[in-house]
Amino acid sequence: MKPGAIIPATAASLTSLTVTMAVMCYLACLAIGALILVDRAVTSWTSALSREMTVQVRVVRDADIAQEVEKARRITAAFPGIVEADVLDESAGAKLLEPWLGTRSLAGLPVPRLIRVVSDVNNPPDIAALEQALSQVKGARLDTHQKWEAELTRMARALSAVSYAILLLISVSAIAIVIFATRAVLQANRHIVDLLHLVGARDSYIARQIDGRFLRTGLLSGFIGVGLGLFTFLLLGLFGGGSETGVAAASRGLLFATPSIAIWSYGMLFAVPVAATFICLITARITLMRRLGVVT
């Protein structure tokens, strides 16, 4: 008897298992892709926040705001570890208030003036000393964006935990599906198994004949899921809009990243077929050996 002839290639239970596992692998690819995109986006945002700071100069009574802004700029630009200090125009502060106050005129409000500060990553400035130096400027306050960086990091950890939880649930569901499919295959081919036991075939021999079908099922469903996942990210990259910071740009970055990043990203995605194959093969073998013991 040829290996694999015990279970027909068109067995309904294995066909259903292939479709179901392909959907599970597709969902796993989406979760992994989301995990990669979130990690990359947060890393980019936090690196930008860690490099940049903002000096706010508020309007103070008996002080010339223009002179105080220029004084703050000179102090900041000359401070060690600062590579750039640019005074933003008056409309910059108004734009920050638009989400709360709308586009109405803010001419009567004492909107602070802003100075964009870029620090040297290799030689960062002494923040405490810089704040002390800016205390000479009336109404000046240094904002290092540490609060926003901490919030982004906390958000990234929460989203990563959710993604890992989804992957764990998918894996548990896949194991359960393989167990039920294995039992269904044995039940549907009970007469063949009984005949093999009658002629003296061992359980390990019968399990090996069925293992090949589950091995091919795991590989096929895994690659189908990865293909659908890559196609989904490709569609998002092509039709998700032309923004350089939106979902479309992130999807394009996932598919067409630099080689050093692409190797890691595609490696995680193509680990899905390997995981699906191991889940199908190992779970099916354990279930088969236990059920065959019951059958005998």
Side-chain angles (χ1 to χ4, degrees):
M1 181 178 293
K2 295 182 180 180
I6 294 177
I7 303 299
T10 57
S13 55
L14 290 185
T15 302
S16 301
L17 176 64
T18 302
V19 174
T20 308
M21 285 293 293
V23 173
M24 291 293 179
C25 292
Y26 172 64
L27 295 177
C29 287
L30 293 184
I32 291 174
L35 185 64
I36 294 172
L37 293 179
V38 167
D39 179 72
R40 194 176 303 170
V42 172
T43 300
S44 176
W45 293 339
T46 53
S47 63
L49 286 176
S50 62
R51 289 189 68 242
E52 294 190 5
M53 297 177 287
T54 303
V55 176
Q56 297 184 28
V57 182
R58 301 186 302 276
V59 178
V60 179
R61 183 179 299 178
D62 301 329
D64 188 335
I65 184 66
Q67 292 182 1
E68 297 301 322
V69 168
E70 179 59 25
K71 183 179 179 181
R73 189 199 65 80
R74 289 198 305 267
I75 292 174
T76 306
F79 198 83
I82 301 300
V83 297
E84 188 178 344
D86 297 327
V87 179
L88 303 181
D89 56 29
E90 296 182 7
S91 62
K95 289 180 179 178
L96 293 177
L97 297 175
E98 282 184 3
W100 292 272
L101 301 180
T103 57
R104 68 190 67 180
S105 176
L106 303 178
L109 293 178
V111 180
R113 296 293 304 277
L114 303 177
I115 302 175
R116 175 176 171 268
V117 181
V118 180
S119 62
D120 187 352
V121 178
N122 299 321
N123 182 30
D126 186 338
I127 301 299
L130 179 57
E131 289 179 337
Q132 181 64 30
L134 287 172
S135 63
Q136 307 172 30
V137 182
K138 295 180 180 180
R141 185 173 70 88
L142 179 65
D143 185 2
T144 60
H145 308 307
Q146 290 181 351
K147 178 182 178 181
W148 299 109
E149 185 176 354
E151 289 293 334
L152 284 174
T153 303
R154 189 158 42 246
M155 178 194 70
R157 289 174 180 172
L159 292 176
S160 297
V162 171
S163 297
Y164 285 122
I166 291 173
L167 288 174
L168 178 61
L169 290 175
I170 291 173
S171 300
V172 172
S173 300
I175 291 173
I177 290 169
V178 173
I179 291 174
F180 286 120
T182 306
R183 291 178 176 178
V185 168
L186 281 179
Q187 188 63 32
N189 298 272
R190 178 73 174 271
H191 60 289
I192 299 178
V193 174
D194 290 341
L195 179 60
L196 290 173
H197 278 145
L198 186 63
V199 298
R202 296 183 176 180
D203 291 345
S204 58
Y205 171 79
I206 300 174
R208 281 197 303 270
Q209 309 310 306
I210 303 177
D211 279 346
R213 288 290 300 135
F214 283 93
L215 175 65
R216 289 190 292 273
T217 297
L219 278 175
L220 179 60
S221 59
F223 280 109
I224 290 175
V226 171
L228 291 175
L230 293 176
F231 183 67
T232 300
F233 288 117
L234 179 62
L235 290 180
L236 289 175
L238 292 177
F239 304 106
S243 173
E244 294 300 324
T245 57
V247 176
S251 300
R252 289 193 293 269
L254 175 64
L255 295 177
F256 308 109
T258 58
S260 59
I261 298 177
I263 291 175
W264 178 68
S265 299
Y266 280 98
M268 290 186 65
L269 290 174
F270 280 96
V272 172
V274 178
T277 303
F278 273 104
I279 287 176
C280 283
L281 191 59
I282 295 176
T283 304
R285 169 53 74 99
I286 294 174
T287 305
L288 283 169
M289 295 304 294
R290 289 183 176 181
R291 296 299 295 177
L292 286 172
V294 173
V295 171
T296 56

